[in-house]
Amino acid sequence: MKSKSEKIALMKREKDFTILAHNYQTKEVQDIADFTGDSLELSRMTREIKTKKILFAGVRFMAETAKLLSPDKKVVLPVEDAGCEMADMVQLKVLERMRREHPNAAVVAYVNTTAEVKAASDICCTSSNAVKVVNSLENDEIIFLPDKNLAAFVARQTKKKIIPYNGWCYVHNQIKEEDVLNARRKHPLSKLMIHPEAPENIQLMADYVLSTGEMQRKAGEDDLDEFIVGTEEGMAYKLKKLYPGKEFHLLREDSPLTCLNMKKTRLDDVIVSLENEQYEILIDESVRKNALRAIERMLEIK
Ligand code: SF4
């Protein structure tokens, strides 16, 4: 009898699928993926992928971004209600009100937003290029959404006035100073890498404030071989796999930082998704065009 991973390997070949998994997915799902990475890395990759179909193990906005960038491919999300609480915090009517209150401001949307919100924004950004994107704009005022913590990170590094939307990622926003102090006590030789979705006071306690893609690079380049990983626990698994000679500690070992939506996808969901080619991501054409414009404008910035 075949194991679940053997079954998945066979089905994806037969049905012409590539499997992409976000860095925050479970170990099992990361292990059966063709590629793992952050949301934008994976979405960009869809343009290079030869198969006609993509299974995106992640949350809905990521599969949507993949579909925006590769409209000719069939993109499926294995768990229909795998959403992102932060992406869902943005209400278009609030954004419209902010635009009215700040008529000279440009709207920068983090890629962690729905296709509708991207379509209503001027340009997208990721956690690694947010400062560059903001500085590339002519406007002196920037409405930044949805994450107030990433907005604070950007505000420290630009002369522009940042007007944050009041959103946050519940996974990173729950990090407390005590968590950092405990981790530092337990692992005094480690360097602390913190994601910019963490609160500003936590960012200021870190050795490095980095996106997951930057954590991956930093861990490889740095002479040091011990790190505390201040983001969702799945990232530590990825780093350990990539650099088996180095040590990666969870910031909170007793109660790891876990994104419940990211952990919804199980191998059984992947099997059913491949079998039924579900749940297909479909985006209204008018939304798609405007959302893609905001993403492509970002991609043009070197
Ligand atoms: S970790 Fe935070 S931003 Fe990422 S999917 Fe989960 S809730 Fe959304």
Side-chain angles (χ1 to χ4, degrees):
M1 195 162 133
K2 286 189 182 61
S3 68
K4 287 180 188 175
S5 7
E6 285 167 344
K7 206 168 166 186
I8 289 169
L10 193 70
M11 285 173 79
K12 73 173 186 189
R13 268 200 308 278
E14 279 175 6
K15 301 198 101 188
D16 200 27
F17 268 96
T18 298
I19 299 182
L20 305 180
H22 189 266
N23 292 327
Y24 296 165
Q25 289 288 295
T26 62
K27 298 171 186 175
E28 297 75 27
V29 173
Q30 289 196 33
D31 288 346
I32 54 93
D34 295 297
F35 302 103
T36 57
D38 64 29
S39 61
L40 193 75
E41 254 167 30
L42 293 175
S43 297
R44 276 178 139 153
M45 203 177 270
T46 59
R47 290 183 159 176
E48 318 295 322
I49 283 169
K50 299 280 178 281
T51 61
K52 291 200 177 69
K53 300 168 200 164
I54 291 164
L55 181 146
F56 204 120
V59 294
R60 181 165 290 272
F61 77 78
M62 298 176 178
E64 275 185 358
T65 309
K67 180 69 185 176
L68 290 170
L69 285 168
S70 296
D72 299 336
K73 297 201 192 284
K74 182 172 199 175
V75 178
V76 298
L77 179 71
V79 176
E80 195 173 21
D81 67 348
C84 164
E85 289 189 18
M86 179 165 74
D88 293 340
M89 280 176 190
V90 183
Q91 293 179 37
L92 287 174
K93 61 174 194 282
V94 176
L95 174 56
E96 280 162 21
R97 195 187 66 218
M98 290 174 86
R99 275 218 196 248
R100 277 198 305 276
E101 287 169 359
H102 306 282
N104 297 323
V107 176
V108 177
Y110 190 18
V111 284
N112 299 25
T113 44
T114 62
E116 284 78 13
V117 170
K118 288 184 177 77
S121 304
D122 295 308
I123 186 167
C124 288
C125 75
T126 67
S127 45
S128 46
N129 68 13
V131 176
K132 222 184 217 179
V133 166
V134 163
N135 285 337
S136 76
L137 300 169
E138 283 177 3
N139 313 55
D140 293 328
E141 290 187 351
I142 309 289
I143 296 171
F144 191 94
L145 55 95
D147 188 16
K148 59 178 180 177
N149 296 322
L150 181 59
F153 173 75
V154 174
R156 290 202 303 278
Q157 297 170 76
T158 182
K159 291 197 174 85
K160 295 179 191 273
K161 180 178 175 197
I162 303 292
I163 304 151
Y165 194 95
N166 189 24
W168 62 88
C169 161
Y170 80 96
V171 179
H172 294 92
N173 199 52
Q174 63 182 293
I175 303 174
K176 301 271 177 296
E177 286 188 12
E178 198 187 316
D179 298 326
V180 173
L181 296 174
N182 283 341
R184 289 237 193 244
R185 257 194 303 273
K186 274 194 212 162
H187 307 292
L189 300 178
S190 295
K191 285 226 169 124
L192 173 64
M193 303 193 279
I194 284 282
H195 196 279
E197 287 170 20
E200 191 173 20
N201 61 325
I202 303 298
Q203 294 174 23
L204 295 172
M205 295 172 86
D207 295 300
Y208 305 117
V209 182
L210 304 168
S211 67
T212 53
E214 289 168 335
M215 285 183 188
Q216 186 174 321
R217 271 188 299 281
K218 176 59 85 182
E221 289 163 11
D222 208 290
D223 291 340
L224 207 84
D225 52 14
E226 208 182 325
F227 298 89
I228 300 164
V229 184
T231 186
E232 213 273 353
E233 57 171 338
M235 189 62 199
Y237 177 70
K238 168 148 193 196
L239 292 171
K240 281 177 195 165
K241 239 175 120 172
L242 275 173
Y243 309 112
K246 300 197 173 195
E247 274 192 81
F248 299 96
H249 309 290
L250 294 179
L251 174 66
R252 282 201 333 214
E253 287 166 339
D254 301 334
S255 57
L257 297 169
T258 306
C259 175
L260 297 178
N261 273 307
M262 281 286 186
K263 302 298 192 240
K264 278 183 179 168
T265 311
R266 305 271 154 196
L267 292 187
D268 287 331
D269 300 307
V270 173
I271 292 172
V272 175
S273 179
L274 289 171
E275 228 158 46
N276 302 331
E277 304 196 4
Q278 69 189 27
Y279 293 91
E280 186 175 1
I281 301 290
L282 298 168
I283 302 171
D284 179 81
E285 187 53 21
S286 60
V287 171
R288 194 190 74 79
K289 268 183 21 207
N290 288 328
L292 184 61
R293 175 195 39 77
I295 296 179
E296 289 195 319
R297 210 177 149 195
M298 166 187 79
L299 296 177
E300 281 162 17
I301 295 169
K302 296 286 169 244

